[in-house]
Amino acid sequence: MNYDIFLIPENNFQIRKLRLSPRRIRLLFCAAVASIFLLAFNVVGFVHYWSLYSSTEEDRAAIKGYEKERSDLLNKMASLESAVGQTEQLAGSLAAMVGTERASLQKGIGPIPLPSKSDKMDIASKTAPLDLASLQPAKVDSLQDRVLTLQEKIKELTKIQQDKLTYIASTPSVWPVKGWVTSEFGYRRSPFTMASDFHEGIDIAAAWGTPVMAPADGVVTFAGVRGGYGNLVVIDHGFGIVTRFGHTSQILVKEGDKVTRGTKIALVGTTGHSTGPHLHYEIHSDGVPVDPMKYILR
């Protein structure tokens, strides 16, 4: 038995008839079922593919995160290597300063003790090469803290040594002029009144015009004529130490000048209360005159 399907358009002019046999109906039904199955298969495949794509994107994001952590760790290791290098430079600078200070310290100032053998071994163990490949992030952070602490300690120690070297450079420890001592520090018979008086410095005899040198670093606080001193130069070396140079024939510096050890500041003369060409040399510590011979090392 056949089935007829009539297709009637709106204008009612041409009516079409579609006759379907049972066989054709079965074929259409099978085709519809196959299409539905194929569509369902495609939908399931798309959903599966999308899940795989999403999983791949998550893996890519995780890999990027791992790469960033690895990059951060490598940067931190590089910073640690730089910090260790700076620490080694500070240690080398400190060792050089300690060596310089030890060479500079002779009689009058006790030497600074150098690190013992055990201390050197301990320092060597702290600055030994690092196996960066085996470091964990937590270990890196701990090492970074240790390096920063070591840097601060070395900087502090370096500052102390620099201050000590500054003190040594500011200590009048050399002869201000080449000559011989004709009058020492302390009580003596005055060459003018023949009475006993206190001589606040030493007199160093030298030829007229002999250069007078600054015995240490400092700042000129006076350069001019002052009473019995004649032409006088006064230098403030800091740390409460002041030196005076009297009876000079010519002053080569002016007030406010910064001088270093060995700088020419004047020429020997016999100005003021003087019996002949010589340099009157005084050292005052915290305003009190002291014997210059206790400071002179050579």
Side-chain angles (χ1 to χ4, degrees):
M1 182 177 62
N2 296 326
Y3 296 91
D4 293 332
I5 299 175
F6 292 93
L7 303 176
I8 304 174
E10 291 182 357
N11 54 19
N12 298 322
F13 286 136
Q14 186 176 359
I15 299 176
R16 294 183 181 182
K17 183 177 68 173
L18 179 63
R19 177 165 291 181
L20 299 175
S21 64
R23 182 175 177 274
R24 183 174 293 181
I25 291 174
R26 286 194 298 269
L27 290 175
L28 289 175
F29 178 77
C30 291
V33 171
S35 298
I36 292 173
F37 178 79
L38 182 61
L39 178 62
F41 179 79
N42 288 334
V43 170
V44 172
F46 176 78
V47 171
H48 179 66
Y49 172 79
W50 181 257
S51 64
L52 290 178
Y53 176 79
S54 300
S55 177
T56 302
E57 289 298 315
E58 291 178 357
D59 292 340
R60 288 179 180 175
I63 291 174
K64 287 183 179 180
Y66 295 146
E67 289 180 348
K68 185 177 185 304
E69 290 181 3
R70 179 176 177 273
S71 177
D72 292 342
L73 183 59
L74 291 177
N75 290 335
K76 186 173 290 187
M77 289 181 178
S79 298
L80 284 176
E81 288 180 325
S82 176
V84 170
Q86 293 177 3
T87 303
E88 290 175 345
Q89 291 180 354
L90 287 172
S93 176
L94 178 60
M97 285 191 296
V98 170
T100 302
E101 182 179 25
R102 186 175 178 86
S104 300
L105 298 177
Q106 300 176 14
K107 67 176 183 178
I109 304 177
I112 302 299
L114 295 176
S116 63
K117 184 176 181 181
S118 61
D119 293 334
K120 292 179 180 178
M121 293 177 62
D122 183 59
I123 293 174
S125 66
K126 291 182 180 178
T127 57
L130 302 174
D131 184 9
L132 296 178
S134 64
L135 292 178
Q136 300 293 332
K139 292 182 179 179
V140 172
D141 293 336
S142 176
L143 180 59
Q144 188 176 32
D145 292 339
R146 290 173 58 190
V147 169
L148 292 176
T149 301
L150 182 59
Q151 277 188 316
E152 291 303 319
K153 289 183 178 179
I154 291 181
K155 286 180 180 179
E156 181 180 356
L157 187 55
T158 301
K159 179 64 167 58
I160 293 174
Q161 294 298 325
Q162 288 176 337
D163 291 342
K164 289 182 179 179
L165 290 178
T166 301
Y167 175 77
I168 292 172
S170 302
T171 301
S173 56
V174 300
W175 290 96
V177 68
K178 295 181 179 180
W180 58 97
V181 177
T182 57
S183 183
E184 298 181 349
F185 176 85
Y187 285 97
R188 66 168 187 176
R189 186 181 297 275
S190 171
F192 301 101
T193 64
M194 302 307 293
S196 177
D197 67 352
F198 188 79
H199 192 221
E200 295 186 349
I202 60 174
D203 290 341
I204 306 173
W208 181 284
T210 302
V212 178
M213 311 291 185
D217 299 354
V219 178
V220 177
T221 58
F222 181 83
V225 179
R226 180 181 292 179
Y229 287 102
N231 292 332
L232 175 69
V233 176
V234 179
I235 299 177
D236 187 348
H237 302 280
F239 306 99
I241 299 175
V242 175
T243 52
R244 296 179 179 181
F245 311 84
H247 308 316
T248 62
S249 62
Q250 183 179 353
I251 296 175
L252 305 179
V253 292
K254 64 182 181 300
E255 186 174 335
D257 285 352
K258 293 182 178 180
V259 296
T260 58
R261 180 176 288 140
T263 300
K264 293 182 181 180
I265 59 174
L267 302 178
V268 171
T270 183
T271 57
H273 295 168
S274 172
T275 58
H278 73 283
L279 175 69
H280 176 75
Y281 176 45
E282 295 181 7
I283 296 180
H284 292 245
S285 178
D286 294 327
V288 179
V290 295
D291 188 356
M293 298 301 296
K294 294 183 178 180
Y295 280 81
I296 296 175
L297 299 180
R298 67 177 191 272

